[in-house]
Amino acid sequence: MTPAVDIDPRALRAEFPIFTPVGDRAPLVYLDSAATSQKPTAVLDAMDRYYVETNANVHRGVYELADEATARFEAGRDSVARLVGATRDGTIFTKNASEAINLVAWSWGVRNLRPGDVVMVTEMEHHSGIVPWQIVAEITGAEVVFAPITGDGQLDLAWIEMTLRDAPVRILNVVHVSNVLGTINPVADIARMAHAHGAMILVDGSQSVPHMPVDFPDLDADFLAFTGHKMLGPTGIGVLVGRPEILDAMGPFLGGGEMISDVRTDGSDWAELPWKFEAGTPPIAEAVGLGAAADYLRHIGLDRIRAHERELVAYAFDALSEIDGLAIYGPRDPDLRGAPISFSLPDLHPHDIAQLVDRQRVCIRAGHHCAKPLMRTLGVTATARASGYLYNDSHDIDALVSALQAARSYFAR
Amino acid sequence: MGGLDDLYQELILDHYRRPRHRGELADPTISVDQNNPLCGDQLHITVRLDGERIAELAHSGDGCSISQASASMMSDVVVGHTTDEALEMIEHFRQVMHREAQADEDRIGDAIALEGVNKYPVRIKCALLSWMALKDGLLTRQADRQEGR
Ligand SMILES: Cc1ncc(COP(=O)(O)O)c(C=O)c1O
């Protein structure tokens, strides 16, 4: 499906206040959207308007203002659910993607995993998709195994299939798009394999939901976790999407107000979905902001964003390969990868690279990207990473390349 | 650009390109590993003591220019000193990084060139990595000796 109209990043940038020129400072070249995205006025205004016009606590007040606040909060949920084709009762607000994964690890994992059970994660998983399972494995006696990657940075599907067949795997935690390698994993195929062997699957959509069409029913997954701040929304809010029948059968995660239907001295009953998993006053303005972000993304079109980023990645590959000795990690084929591009230079440490390109106001990431097992597999301690989004264009890549070249000559002086 | 030239002084780049005391001692009195949780850099330090005097010290591992140069500068300055003197130097360097003291060349040698790092919060950890590793190693040994191990 080819999108009708191409994205115009220069024009879009006018809708993101952070790109407003400041005096004679060099323009901002922001290539770290995999860490967090910038925010459009539509999102900032929605949050502002919430506080200015309807601030009140949700689900509690009987007065009109509280109804209005609740309506905007729940409308945020509807917008997010619509973006990924989820049901509203299966769309739970959390603090971030990490908390969404922890929710499943604790609510489902602690109550269901037994000694000898296997939790499968992948070698390209973010720490958020590894550590919660390690904690829960320690409590339950389950074992965490890592699905390996192949030489070109893809998941070894044969290994996954074999392990599903031979080991008592209860759940898989698979990243949809790797925040380091950029690899787009065939999660729907993996979900089918998992289900054929009686295992569940949690897809970490932190790097996919902001960048490409993701339809929860199409994924055939049991859970989908993602985080607001990487998809034009605010920090402090994330999402767990789940199959309602599975969420319904799960015990609660955090306890407190909002998540109960009755509290007695001899025990309590839980609220209905999705509120059963939302203890305490939720991030209300953040939900409103995230709803606005979801609407904004739908308005632009995720298929157009994906097409734009695919071109950007292809352009970046060509441009970066002009730099002597620069090595790019992950798949070569732009069809197989999302926006993040990790690379290294033989004579410059990633920290120094990121520091030096900042002279030209080029913002890129350096470090292990919260993926230390993957770093070990790649045989490095750190990489540099440039990651674009809908507001980046080929000029940003050119700026990166020239800043990299300048960094190199600076160190060779 | 003045800012970055301050960070990447010639002396720092020189230690980075030609690190002193790089390697690993075969029969060390002290051996410590330290990693920078921020970037994953890993550092290994081995020390041979002659009584209470640091006779030899070697550092190995991966790191950015700042952490590598800092390890090289530290090695240069502590070798030949007693462990207590070395701990004082480390404390002085720590204070310089946290802007609690002006760098004193008599105490930390070439490492005074790293003073400019204290304007880059994230890089302070890189500069301190080797010093904290050595402090760790020296203090652990002192504690072990007090307990008679
Ligand atoms: C793939 C992936 N999963 C999970 C996360 C965690 O997101 P958050 O820190 O918002 O919980 C990130 C972001 O760093 C990520 O890239």
PDB file of all heavy atoms in Angstrom, chain A residues 34-35 95-99 101 124-129 175-179 204-207 226-230 237 369-370 385, ligand 1:
ATOM      1  N   ALA A  34      14.336   7.470  19.260  1.00  0.00           N
ATOM      2  CA  ALA A  34      14.167   6.146  19.864  1.00  0.00           C
ATOM      3  C   ALA A  34      14.262   6.245  21.383  1.00  0.00           C
ATOM      4  O   ALA A  34      13.716   5.421  22.105  1.00  0.00           O
ATOM      5  CB  ALA A  34      15.216   5.166  19.331  1.00  0.00           C
ATOM      6  N   ALA A  35      14.949   7.270  21.869  1.00  0.00           N
ATOM      7  CA  ALA A  35      15.011   7.487  23.319  1.00  0.00           C
ATOM      8  C   ALA A  35      13.753   8.199  23.791  1.00  0.00           C
ATOM      9  O   ALA A  35      13.095   7.764  24.723  1.00  0.00           O
ATOM     10  CB  ALA A  35      16.250   8.304  23.687  1.00  0.00           C
ATOM     11  N   LYS A  95       2.623   3.465  33.807  1.00  0.00           N
ATOM     12  CA  LYS A  95       3.539   4.604  33.901  1.00  0.00           C
ATOM     13  C   LYS A  95       4.405   4.709  32.639  1.00  0.00           C
ATOM     14  O   LYS A  95       4.803   5.784  32.223  1.00  0.00           O
ATOM     15  CB  LYS A  95       4.422   4.396  35.126  1.00  0.00           C
ATOM     16  CG  LYS A  95       5.360   5.515  35.452  1.00  0.00           C
ATOM     17  CD  LYS A  95       5.985   5.288  36.827  1.00  0.00           C
ATOM     18  CE  LYS A  95       6.909   4.090  36.780  1.00  0.00           C
ATOM     19  NZ  LYS A  95       7.501   3.747  38.077  1.00  0.00           N
ATOM     20  N   ASN A  96       4.721   3.559  32.063  1.00  0.00           N
ATOM     21  CA  ASN A  96       5.576   3.501  30.865  1.00  0.00           C
ATOM     22  C   ASN A  96       5.552   2.056  30.353  1.00  0.00           C
ATOM     23  O   ASN A  96       4.817   1.227  30.899  1.00  0.00           O
ATOM     24  CB  ASN A  96       7.014   3.957  31.182  1.00  0.00           C
ATOM     25  CG  ASN A  96       7.552   3.324  32.451  1.00  0.00           C
ATOM     26  OD1 ASN A  96       7.250   2.165  32.747  1.00  0.00           O
ATOM     27  ND2 ASN A  96       8.343   4.056  33.201  1.00  0.00           N
ATOM     28  N   ALA A  97       6.355   1.765  29.354  1.00  0.00           N
ATOM     29  CA  ALA A  97       6.381   0.393  28.825  1.00  0.00           C
ATOM     30  C   ALA A  97       6.937  -0.564  29.869  1.00  0.00           C
ATOM     31  O   ALA A  97       6.484  -1.709  29.995  1.00  0.00           O
ATOM     32  CB  ALA A  97       7.228   0.338  27.553  1.00  0.00           C
ATOM     33  N   SER A  98       7.917  -0.102  30.617  1.00  0.00           N
ATOM     34  CA  SER A  98       8.526  -0.969  31.624  1.00  0.00           C
ATOM     35  C   SER A  98       7.470  -1.441  32.613  1.00  0.00           C
ATOM     36  O   SER A  98       7.407  -2.621  32.962  1.00  0.00           O
ATOM     37  CB  SER A  98       9.623  -0.223  32.379  1.00  0.00           C
ATOM     38  OG  SER A  98      10.586   0.271  31.474  1.00  0.00           O
ATOM     39  N   GLU A  99       6.634  -0.515  33.070  1.00  0.00           N
ATOM     40  CA  GLU A  99       5.609  -0.910  34.039  1.00  0.00           C
ATOM     41  C   GLU A  99       4.584  -1.842  33.404  1.00  0.00           C
ATOM     42  O   GLU A  99       4.070  -2.751  34.056  1.00  0.00           O
ATOM     43  CB  GLU A  99       4.902   0.310  34.630  1.00  0.00           C
ATOM     44  CG  GLU A  99       4.040  -0.073  35.830  1.00  0.00           C
ATOM     45  CD  GLU A  99       3.265   1.097  36.411  1.00  0.00           C
ATOM     46  OE1 GLU A  99       3.860   1.833  37.211  1.00  0.00           O
ATOM     47  OE2 GLU A  99       2.090   1.269  36.064  1.00  0.00           O
ATOM     48  N   ILE A 101       5.154  -4.123  31.207  1.00  0.00           N
ATOM     49  CA  ILE A 101       5.728  -5.475  31.195  1.00  0.00           C
ATOM     50  C   ILE A 101       5.759  -6.045  32.622  1.00  0.00           C
ATOM     51  O   ILE A 101       5.433  -7.212  32.845  1.00  0.00           O
ATOM     52  CB  ILE A 101       7.124  -5.466  30.540  1.00  0.00           C
ATOM     53  CG1 ILE A 101       7.002  -5.040  29.062  1.00  0.00           C
ATOM     54  CG2 ILE A 101       7.787  -6.845  30.644  1.00  0.00           C
ATOM     55  CD1 ILE A 101       8.322  -4.770  28.359  1.00  0.00           C
ATOM     56  N   MET A 124      17.886  -9.591  21.715  1.00  0.00           N
ATOM     57  CA  MET A 124      17.825  -8.169  21.344  1.00  0.00           C
ATOM     58  C   MET A 124      16.790  -7.431  22.188  1.00  0.00           C
ATOM     59  O   MET A 124      16.382  -6.338  21.851  1.00  0.00           O
ATOM     60  CB  MET A 124      17.557  -7.989  19.845  1.00  0.00           C
ATOM     61  CG  MET A 124      16.235  -8.487  19.367  1.00  0.00           C
ATOM     62  SD  MET A 124      15.904  -7.935  17.668  1.00  0.00           S
ATOM     63  CE  MET A 124      16.616  -9.270  16.697  1.00  0.00           C
ATOM     64  N   GLU A 125      16.415  -8.047  23.318  1.00  0.00           N
ATOM     65  CA  GLU A 125      15.409  -7.406  24.158  1.00  0.00           C
ATOM     66  C   GLU A 125      15.999  -6.212  24.910  1.00  0.00           C
ATOM     67  O   GLU A 125      17.166  -6.208  25.299  1.00  0.00           O
ATOM     68  CB  GLU A 125      14.859  -8.448  25.139  1.00  0.00           C
ATOM     69  CG  GLU A 125      13.367  -8.418  25.328  1.00  0.00           C
ATOM     70  CD  GLU A 125      12.587  -8.591  24.033  1.00  0.00           C
ATOM     71  OE1 GLU A 125      13.050  -9.318  23.102  1.00  0.00           O
ATOM     72  OE2 GLU A 125      11.521  -7.997  23.936  1.00  0.00           O
ATOM     73  N   HIS A 126      15.168  -5.211  25.117  1.00  0.00           N
ATOM     74  CA  HIS A 126      15.507  -4.090  26.007  1.00  0.00           C
ATOM     75  C   HIS A 126      15.499  -4.630  27.444  1.00  0.00           C
ATOM     76  O   HIS A 126      14.767  -5.567  27.745  1.00  0.00           O
ATOM     77  CB  HIS A 126      14.415  -3.025  25.828  1.00  0.00           C
ATOM     78  CG  HIS A 126      14.659  -1.729  26.535  1.00  0.00           C
ATOM     79  ND1 HIS A 126      14.396  -1.562  27.872  1.00  0.00           N
ATOM     80  CD2 HIS A 126      15.125  -0.527  26.085  1.00  0.00           C
ATOM     81  CE1 HIS A 126      14.684  -0.308  28.217  1.00  0.00           C
ATOM     82  NE2 HIS A 126      15.130   0.336  27.147  1.00  0.00           N
ATOM     83  N   HIS A 127      16.285  -4.038  28.319  1.00  0.00           N
ATOM     84  CA  HIS A 127      16.311  -4.503  29.718  1.00  0.00           C
ATOM     85  C   HIS A 127      14.905  -4.595  30.308  1.00  0.00           C
ATOM     86  O   HIS A 127      14.633  -5.461  31.149  1.00  0.00           O
ATOM     87  CB  HIS A 127      17.164  -3.572  30.584  1.00  0.00           C
ATOM     88  CG  HIS A 127      18.628  -3.616  30.239  1.00  0.00           C
ATOM     89  ND1 HIS A 127      19.525  -2.692  30.698  1.00  0.00           N
ATOM     90  CD2 HIS A 127      19.339  -4.481  29.474  1.00  0.00           C
ATOM     91  CE1 HIS A 127      20.736  -2.977  30.232  1.00  0.00           C
ATOM     92  NE2 HIS A 127      20.641  -4.056  29.473  1.00  0.00           N
ATOM     93  N   SER A 128      13.995  -3.728  29.848  1.00  0.00           N
ATOM     94  CA  SER A 128      12.617  -3.759  30.339  1.00  0.00           C
ATOM     95  C   SER A 128      11.909  -5.076  30.036  1.00  0.00           C
ATOM     96  O   SER A 128      10.948  -5.420  30.714  1.00  0.00           O
ATOM     97  CB  SER A 128      11.795  -2.648  29.680  1.00  0.00           C
ATOM     98  OG  SER A 128      12.289  -1.406  30.045  1.00  0.00           O
ATOM     99  N   GLY A 129      12.358  -5.766  29.006  1.00  0.00           N
ATOM    100  CA  GLY A 129      11.742  -7.036  28.636  1.00  0.00           C
ATOM    101  C   GLY A 129      12.495  -8.234  29.199  1.00  0.00           C
ATOM    102  O   GLY A 129      12.130  -9.384  28.939  1.00  0.00           O
ATOM    103  N   VAL A 175      10.546  -8.194  21.380  1.00  0.00           N
ATOM    104  CA  VAL A 175      10.520  -6.803  20.955  1.00  0.00           C
ATOM    105  C   VAL A 175      10.093  -6.752  19.476  1.00  0.00           C
ATOM    106  O   VAL A 175      10.561  -7.539  18.661  1.00  0.00           O
ATOM    107  CB  VAL A 175      11.900  -6.158  21.205  1.00  0.00           C
ATOM    108  CG1 VAL A 175      12.967  -6.693  20.271  1.00  0.00           C
ATOM    109  CG2 VAL A 175      11.834  -4.645  21.136  1.00  0.00           C
ATOM    110  N   HIS A 176       9.163  -5.858  19.158  1.00  0.00           N
ATOM    111  CA  HIS A 176       8.663  -5.776  17.783  1.00  0.00           C
ATOM    112  C   HIS A 176       9.724  -5.163  16.872  1.00  0.00           C
ATOM    113  O   HIS A 176      10.059  -5.718  15.828  1.00  0.00           O
ATOM    114  CB  HIS A 176       7.373  -4.950  17.760  1.00  0.00           C
ATOM    115  CG  HIS A 176       6.587  -5.097  16.500  1.00  0.00           C
ATOM    116  ND1 HIS A 176       5.349  -4.535  16.329  1.00  0.00           N
ATOM    117  CD2 HIS A 176       6.863  -5.730  15.342  1.00  0.00           C
ATOM    118  CE1 HIS A 176       4.894  -4.822  15.116  1.00  0.00           C
ATOM    119  NE2 HIS A 176       5.800  -5.540  14.489  1.00  0.00           N
ATOM    120  N   VAL A 177      10.243  -4.000  17.299  1.00  0.00           N
ATOM    121  CA  VAL A 177      11.350  -3.371  16.574  1.00  0.00           C
ATOM    122  C   VAL A 177      12.472  -3.131  17.584  1.00  0.00           C
ATOM    123  O   VAL A 177      12.245  -2.511  18.626  1.00  0.00           O
ATOM    124  CB  VAL A 177      10.924  -2.039  15.937  1.00  0.00           C
ATOM    125  CG1 VAL A 177      12.131  -1.306  15.352  1.00  0.00           C
ATOM    126  CG2 VAL A 177       9.876  -2.271  14.851  1.00  0.00           C
ATOM    127  N   SER A 178      13.653  -3.634  17.278  1.00  0.00           N
ATOM    128  CA  SER A 178      14.786  -3.487  18.204  1.00  0.00           C
ATOM    129  C   SER A 178      15.229  -2.035  18.288  1.00  0.00           C
ATOM    130  O   SER A 178      15.431  -1.384  17.259  1.00  0.00           O
ATOM    131  CB  SER A 178      15.957  -4.354  17.742  1.00  0.00           C
ATOM    132  OG  SER A 178      17.159  -3.908  18.351  1.00  0.00           O
ATOM    133  N   ASN A 179      15.404  -1.549  19.509  1.00  0.00           N
ATOM    134  CA  ASN A 179      15.831  -0.160  19.674  1.00  0.00           C
ATOM    135  C   ASN A 179      17.314   0.021  19.351  1.00  0.00           C
ATOM    136  O   ASN A 179      17.797   1.144  19.306  1.00  0.00           O
ATOM    137  CB  ASN A 179      15.535   0.336  21.095  1.00  0.00           C
ATOM    138  CG  ASN A 179      16.320  -0.419  22.148  1.00  0.00           C
ATOM    139  OD1 ASN A 179      16.403  -1.636  22.102  1.00  0.00           O
ATOM    140  ND2 ASN A 179      16.901   0.293  23.092  1.00  0.00           N
ATOM    141  N   ASP A 204       6.705  -6.257  22.754  1.00  0.00           N
ATOM    142  CA  ASP A 204       7.148  -4.935  23.192  1.00  0.00           C
ATOM    143  C   ASP A 204       7.111  -4.006  21.982  1.00  0.00           C
ATOM    144  O   ASP A 204       7.969  -4.070  21.106  1.00  0.00           O
ATOM    145  CB  ASP A 204       8.565  -5.041  23.775  1.00  0.00           C
ATOM    146  CG  ASP A 204       9.120  -3.683  24.203  1.00  0.00           C
ATOM    147  OD1 ASP A 204       8.489  -2.644  23.898  1.00  0.00           O
ATOM    148  OD2 ASP A 204      10.197  -3.665  24.829  1.00  0.00           O
ATOM    149  N   GLY A 205       6.078  -3.180  21.943  1.00  0.00           N
ATOM    150  CA  GLY A 205       5.873  -2.301  20.785  1.00  0.00           C
ATOM    151  C   GLY A 205       6.412  -0.892  20.989  1.00  0.00           C
ATOM    152  O   GLY A 205       6.019   0.030  20.257  1.00  0.00           O
ATOM    153  N   SER A 206       7.326  -0.725  21.928  1.00  0.00           N
ATOM    154  CA  SER A 206       7.833   0.623  22.239  1.00  0.00           C
ATOM    155  C   SER A 206       8.395   1.329  21.014  1.00  0.00           C
ATOM    156  O   SER A 206       8.283   2.550  20.888  1.00  0.00           O
ATOM    157  CB  SER A 206       8.926   0.542  23.307  1.00  0.00           C
ATOM    158  OG  SER A 206       8.427  -0.018  24.485  1.00  0.00           O
ATOM    159  N   GLN A 207       9.042   0.563  20.125  1.00  0.00           N
ATOM    160  CA  GLN A 207       9.657   1.165  18.943  1.00  0.00           C
ATOM    161  C   GLN A 207       8.857   0.909  17.668  1.00  0.00           C
ATOM    162  O   GLN A 207       9.281   1.309  16.588  1.00  0.00           O
ATOM    163  CB  GLN A 207      11.098   0.636  18.744  1.00  0.00           C
ATOM    164  CG  GLN A 207      12.025   0.891  19.908  1.00  0.00           C
ATOM    165  CD  GLN A 207      12.402   2.368  20.076  1.00  0.00           C
ATOM    166  OE1 GLN A 207      12.118   3.206  19.203  1.00  0.00           O
ATOM    167  NE2 GLN A 207      13.010   2.692  21.201  1.00  0.00           N
ATOM    168  N   PHE A 226       3.608  -0.543  25.195  1.00  0.00           N
ATOM    169  CA  PHE A 226       4.310   0.582  24.573  1.00  0.00           C
ATOM    170  C   PHE A 226       4.295   1.779  25.508  1.00  0.00           C
ATOM    171  O   PHE A 226       3.695   1.731  26.581  1.00  0.00           O
ATOM    172  CB  PHE A 226       3.771   0.910  23.170  1.00  0.00           C
ATOM    173  CG  PHE A 226       2.284   1.060  23.049  1.00  0.00           C
ATOM    174  CD1 PHE A 226       1.697   2.319  23.000  1.00  0.00           C
ATOM    175  CD2 PHE A 226       1.462  -0.061  22.949  1.00  0.00           C
ATOM    176  CE1 PHE A 226       0.322   2.468  22.853  1.00  0.00           C
ATOM    177  CE2 PHE A 226       0.075   0.077  22.812  1.00  0.00           C
ATOM    178  CZ  PHE A 226      -0.493   1.340  22.774  1.00  0.00           C
ATOM    179  N   THR A 227       4.988   2.837  25.093  1.00  0.00           N
ATOM    180  CA  THR A 227       5.247   3.922  26.031  1.00  0.00           C
ATOM    181  C   THR A 227       4.930   5.268  25.393  1.00  0.00           C
ATOM    182  O   THR A 227       5.225   5.487  24.206  1.00  0.00           O
ATOM    183  CB  THR A 227       6.725   3.804  26.515  1.00  0.00           C
ATOM    184  OG1 THR A 227       6.909   4.562  27.692  1.00  0.00           O
ATOM    185  CG2 THR A 227       7.728   4.224  25.456  1.00  0.00           C
ATOM    186  N   GLY A 228       4.280   6.152  26.144  1.00  0.00           N
ATOM    187  CA  GLY A 228       3.761   7.397  25.577  1.00  0.00           C
ATOM    188  C   GLY A 228       4.801   8.341  25.018  1.00  0.00           C
ATOM    189  O   GLY A 228       4.623   8.928  23.960  1.00  0.00           O
ATOM    190  N   HIS A 229       5.915   8.462  25.710  1.00  0.00           N
ATOM    191  CA  HIS A 229       6.857   9.531  25.371  1.00  0.00           C
ATOM    192  C   HIS A 229       7.626   9.288  24.084  1.00  0.00           C
ATOM    193  O   HIS A 229       8.258  10.192  23.559  1.00  0.00           O
ATOM    194  CB  HIS A 229       7.829   9.763  26.530  1.00  0.00           C
ATOM    195  CG  HIS A 229       8.739   8.603  26.818  1.00  0.00           C
ATOM    196  ND1 HIS A 229      10.005   8.519  26.311  1.00  0.00           N
ATOM    197  CD2 HIS A 229       8.553   7.481  27.549  1.00  0.00           C
ATOM    198  CE1 HIS A 229      10.564   7.387  26.729  1.00  0.00           C
ATOM    199  NE2 HIS A 229       9.712   6.744  27.483  1.00  0.00           N
ATOM    200  N   LYS A 230       7.590   8.052  23.565  1.00  0.00           N
ATOM    201  CA  LYS A 230       8.272   7.795  22.291  1.00  0.00           C
ATOM    202  C   LYS A 230       7.328   7.987  21.111  1.00  0.00           C
ATOM    203  O   LYS A 230       7.724   7.856  19.961  1.00  0.00           O
ATOM    204  CB  LYS A 230       8.823   6.360  22.262  1.00  0.00           C
ATOM    205  CG  LYS A 230       9.943   6.106  23.272  1.00  0.00           C
ATOM    206  CD  LYS A 230      10.496   4.702  23.103  1.00  0.00           C
ATOM    207  CE  LYS A 230      11.157   4.161  24.344  1.00  0.00           C
ATOM    208  NZ  LYS A 230      12.465   4.740  24.641  1.00  0.00           N
ATOM    209  N   ILE A 237       3.401   8.108  31.169  1.00  0.00           N
ATOM    210  CA  ILE A 237       2.280   7.240  30.790  1.00  0.00           C
ATOM    211  C   ILE A 237       2.726   6.209  29.753  1.00  0.00           C
ATOM    212  O   ILE A 237       3.504   6.511  28.849  1.00  0.00           O
ATOM    213  CB  ILE A 237       1.065   8.055  30.282  1.00  0.00           C
ATOM    214  CG1 ILE A 237      -0.151   7.127  30.137  1.00  0.00           C
ATOM    215  CG2 ILE A 237       1.391   8.801  28.984  1.00  0.00           C
ATOM    216  CD1 ILE A 237      -1.472   7.856  30.048  1.00  0.00           C
ATOM    217  N   HIS A 369      22.294   1.317  25.363  1.00  0.00           N
ATOM    218  CA  HIS A 369      20.889   1.415  24.981  1.00  0.00           C
ATOM    219  C   HIS A 369      20.009   0.452  25.766  1.00  0.00           C
ATOM    220  O   HIS A 369      19.025  -0.077  25.221  1.00  0.00           O
ATOM    221  CB  HIS A 369      20.705   1.203  23.468  1.00  0.00           C
ATOM    222  CG  HIS A 369      21.716   1.925  22.642  1.00  0.00           C
ATOM    223  ND1 HIS A 369      21.763   3.302  22.552  1.00  0.00           N
ATOM    224  CD2 HIS A 369      22.769   1.474  21.909  1.00  0.00           C
ATOM    225  CE1 HIS A 369      22.778   3.660  21.787  1.00  0.00           C
ATOM    226  NE2 HIS A 369      23.412   2.575  21.395  1.00  0.00           N
ATOM    227  N   CYS A 370      20.369   0.187  26.991  1.00  0.00           N
ATOM    228  CA  CYS A 370      19.582  -0.726  27.833  1.00  0.00           C
ATOM    229  C   CYS A 370      19.430  -2.086  27.157  1.00  0.00           C
ATOM    230  O   CYS A 370      18.351  -2.694  27.203  1.00  0.00           O
ATOM    231  CB  CYS A 370      18.207  -0.169  28.169  1.00  0.00           C
ATOM    232  SG  CYS A 370      18.290   1.320  29.144  1.00  0.00           S
ATOM    233  N   ARG A 385      24.028   5.697  18.229  1.00  0.00           N
ATOM    234  CA  ARG A 385      22.757   5.410  17.581  1.00  0.00           C
ATOM    235  C   ARG A 385      22.075   6.688  17.125  1.00  0.00           C
ATOM    236  O   ARG A 385      21.914   7.619  17.902  1.00  0.00           O
ATOM    237  CB  ARG A 385      21.818   4.678  18.539  1.00  0.00           C
ATOM    238  CG  ARG A 385      20.471   4.316  17.906  1.00  0.00           C
ATOM    239  CD  ARG A 385      19.494   3.754  18.920  1.00  0.00           C
ATOM    240  NE  ARG A 385      19.033   4.782  19.845  1.00  0.00           N
ATOM    241  CZ  ARG A 385      18.341   4.529  20.954  1.00  0.00           C
ATOM    242  NH1 ARG A 385      18.068   3.282  21.289  1.00  0.00           N
ATOM    243  NH2 ARG A 385      17.947   5.514  21.738  1.00  0.00           N
TER     244      ARG A 385
HETATM  245  C1  LIG C   1      12.249  -1.598  22.912  1.00  0.00           C
HETATM  246  C2  LIG C   1      12.029  -0.841  24.171  1.00  0.00           C
HETATM  247  N1  LIG C   1      11.350  -1.401  25.172  1.00  0.00           N
HETATM  248  C3  LIG C   1      11.099  -0.748  26.317  1.00  0.00           C
HETATM  249  C4  LIG C   1      11.544   0.528  26.520  1.00  0.00           C
HETATM  250  C5  LIG C   1      11.272   1.178  27.831  1.00  0.00           C
HETATM  251  O1  LIG C   1      10.459   2.286  27.751  1.00  0.00           O
HETATM  252  P1  LIG C   1      10.173   3.088  29.089  1.00  0.00           P
HETATM  253  O2  LIG C   1      11.523   3.495  29.601  1.00  0.00           O
HETATM  254  O3  LIG C   1       9.365   4.246  28.670  1.00  0.00           O
HETATM  255  O4  LIG C   1       9.495   2.167  30.022  1.00  0.00           O
HETATM  256  C6  LIG C   1      12.269   1.160  25.501  1.00  0.00           C
HETATM  257  C7  LIG C   1      12.775   2.535  25.648  1.00  0.00           C
HETATM  258  O5  LIG C   1      13.814   2.842  26.143  1.00  0.00           O
HETATM  259  C8  LIG C   1      12.517   0.448  24.312  1.00  0.00           C
HETATM  260  O6  LIG C   1      13.223   1.007  23.318  1.00  0.00           O
END
